[in-house]
Amino acid sequence: MLFNYKAITKSGEERTGSVDAPTEDVAISSLQKRDLVIVSITTGEKTSIFEMDIGFLTKVSNKEVVILSRQIATLFEANVPALRAFKLLAAESENPLLRRKLSEVADDIQSGMPISDALYKHPDIFSDFYVNMVRSGEESGKLSETFLYLADYLDRSYALTSQIKNALVYPAFVVSIFVLVMIGLFTFIIPKIADILTGSGQELPIYTKVIIGISDFLVNYGLFTLVVAIIAGFGFWKYRRAQAASLSRLALAIPIFGNLFQKLYLARISDNMYTMLTSGISMVRAVEITATVVGSETYRKILEEAAEGIKAGEPMSEALGGHEEIPNMMLQMIRVGEETGELGNILKKIAAFYRREVNTAVETLISLIEPTMIVLLGLGVGVVLAAVLLPIYNLAGGI
């Protein structure tokens, strides 16, 4: 948004002009950082309801951060100054929240703050991993390469996570539709049929009585059940946060899914550490940062213990040893990397291996879920129909 301003410099000179900023507060802050005393500031353009900043309703996706990183790298390679690069990206961003954040980053850079410190002020978008990578690039003078590393890493991480989520979309959709259809059947159709069956005077089979009982319960207590379910879901969410370690171990112990989660976390750990070590970040710091972004309480504790061991002088392979969650093959490969001085490349190979393993596990999971789901849903529908139709058939035969 464009703001017109009238201001006075410290020497008393009057200045007028315009400044581009997402909000009036940001515009005022930007002018004050130029040592200007603001006399008046007005909006220079009209904003439609569709262009209003609704950042509280939006969020910045991983995909947008990937694209942003590639754009920053391209601008830096073209020798565009950092301040100009972030202002350009802020102006071109379609996401109001990202536009505001990038404008704030540009203002901080203009005031003399390093890029990494400016990004650190926005942890909801730029993680510790991201900020430390940028700080390493500043120290080594290879910022454009660092942002390319970040874009490649985030792209791999996004693709890996998206693959698992997308694999579960279809089963979740089918199950949700099935549940809604069954709720409609139990609350609208079966009560009418139940009146006919109970009014006939015949002895109903036990499975029919069970179906009618479920239907009566949903009709009479359905709303209460929904409220209880919402409260229970909220309670579980709070419990999950309080008992993150226990639930993390439980997730790794679930048959089939536990193996998939383990490979996902190992791929993430290897890829994180490879990216950071390649960028010049120390091994201890790389392990510490990886612990904060791995996404598993179990592996976070393992990595924190490993960081302490490395500080005490242990090699990474020994510091990570003694945990059944870290496969022996991975430890052996890390040991080889330490002995040959090729730890970065070894971690890259480990990450690629586990990404392939995750791909295979997801494909296997899909091949198991779909037929199992079809069979279980078919049985559920068959039981309900049999419980309702058989008494009707007997009633018709007795007439």
Side-chain angles (χ1 to χ4, degrees):
M1 185 182 296
L2 196 65
F3 292 92
N4 296 325
Y5 68 88
K6 182 185 291 186
I8 300 174
T9 64
K10 287 186 175 181
S11 60
E13 297 179 5
E14 185 175 305
R15 295 280 180 87
T16 59
S18 59
V19 60
D20 188 16
T23 65
E24 184 175 323
D25 289 340
V26 175
I28 293 172
S29 176
S30 176
L31 293 171
Q32 289 175 339
K33 288 174 181 176
R34 300 179 196 175
D35 293 329
L36 294 174
V37 178
I38 300 168
V39 176
S40 65
I41 185 167
T42 57
T43 304
E45 57 186 19
K46 292 183 178 180
T47 303
S48 69
I49 190 171
F50 301 105
E51 294 174 326
M52 291 178 64
D53 187 356
I54 51 172
F56 66 96
L57 294 177
T58 62
K59 66 177 183 177
V60 180
S61 66
N62 289 335
K63 187 175 182 180
E64 288 176 309
V65 179
V66 171
I67 295 172
L68 173 67
S69 302
R70 292 201 185 281
Q71 289 173 329
I72 295 173
T74 302
L75 291 171
F76 282 179
E77 285 182 335
N79 295 319
V80 177
L83 177 60
R84 180 62 178 160
F86 279 95
K87 283 188 173 181
L88 283 172
L89 294 170
E92 295 297 323
S93 176
E94 297 180 359
N95 185 318
L97 175 60
L98 182 59
R99 183 167 61 246
R100 187 175 74 248
K101 296 290 187 179
L102 290 176
S103 295
E104 293 174 5
V105 169
D107 289 339
D108 287 333
I109 293 173
Q110 188 171 8
S111 67
M113 187 179 293
I115 298 174
S116 55
D117 291 344
L119 297 178
Y120 180 75
K121 295 172 65 176
H122 309 282
D124 52 330
I125 299 176
F126 306 105
S127 64
D128 286 345
F129 168 74
Y130 198 103
V131 172
N132 278 278
M133 285 285 292
V134 174
R135 184 170 288 118
S136 173
E138 289 173 327
E139 293 172 356
S140 63
K142 298 179 179 179
L143 264 178
S144 60
E145 293 179 15
T146 297
F147 278 106
L148 282 176
Y149 278 136
L150 279 168
D152 290 339
Y153 165 77
L154 293 172
D155 211 356
R156 292 192 301 269
S157 179
Y158 173 75
L160 193 63
T161 306
S162 296
Q163 183 182 21
I164 296 175
K165 289 181 178 178
N166 292 338
L168 299 176
V169 167
Y170 172 71
F173 174 77
V174 172
V175 171
S176 299
I177 295 298
F178 172 78
V179 170
L180 291 175
V181 169
M182 294 302 289
I183 290 175
L185 183 65
F186 275 98
T187 55
F188 295 104
I189 306 300
I190 291 182
K192 296 179 180 179
I193 298 176
D195 291 339
I196 297 173
L197 295 177
T198 54
S200 67
Q202 67 171 316
E203 180 64 25
L204 299 178
I206 184 63
Y207 46 81
T208 304
K209 292 180 180 179
V210 171
I211 296 298
I212 293 176
I214 294 173
S215 176
D216 290 340
F217 179 81
L218 290 177
V219 170
N220 296 319
Y221 305 103
L223 186 59
F224 173 76
T225 304
L226 178 62
V227 172
V228 171
I230 293 174
I231 295 173
F234 179 75
F236 176 77
W237 178 71
K238 297 288 287 184
Y239 174 81
R240 185 189 67 175
R241 297 184 65 182
Q243 303 293 331
S246 300
L247 292 176
S248 176
R249 287 193 295 271
L250 179 62
L252 293 172
I254 298 174
I256 301 178
F257 286 96
N259 188 39
L260 173 61
F261 288 140
Q262 182 186 36
K263 291 173 180 176
L264 174 64
Y265 295 136
L266 292 175
R268 187 175 295 168
I269 289 170
S270 305
D271 208 357
N272 274 17
M273 291 199 292
Y274 154 70
T275 304
M276 285 187 285
L277 291 175
T278 304
S279 300
I281 295 176
S282 69
M283 185 180 297
V284 173
R285 189 63 185 141
V287 175
E288 289 175 341
I289 295 170
T290 301
T292 65
V293 299
V294 67
S296 167
E297 189 69 15
T298 299
Y299 281 101
R300 182 185 68 80
K301 290 186 175 181
I302 292 173
L303 290 170
E304 287 177 348
E305 292 177 9
E308 294 300 322
I310 294 171
K311 288 179 183 178
E314 294 181 4
M316 183 188 291
S317 55
E318 290 185 13
L320 290 172
H323 302 281
E324 59 180 11
E325 292 84 2
I326 306 294
N328 189 56
M329 180 212 63
M330 181 175 178
L331 295 175
Q332 294 295 333
M333 291 187 69
I334 291 175
R335 185 173 291 113
V336 170
E338 291 171 333
E339 293 173 353
T340 60
E342 295 290 332
L343 182 58
N345 289 332
I346 291 293
L347 288 170
K348 181 180 180 180
K349 294 181 185 299
I350 294 173
F353 169 77
Y354 280 114
R355 281 197 301 272
R356 288 194 299 269
E357 288 290 296
V358 169
N359 292 339
T360 303
V362 169
E363 292 173 0
T364 303
L365 189 61
I366 293 173
S367 65
L368 289 173
I369 285 178
E370 291 187 359
T372 302
M373 182 178 60
I374 291 171
V375 170
L376 292 177
L377 296 185
L379 285 174
V381 173
V383 168
V384 173
L385 291 178
V388 173
L389 294 179
L390 285 178
I392 293 177
Y393 177 77
N394 294 334
L395 179 62
I399 296 176

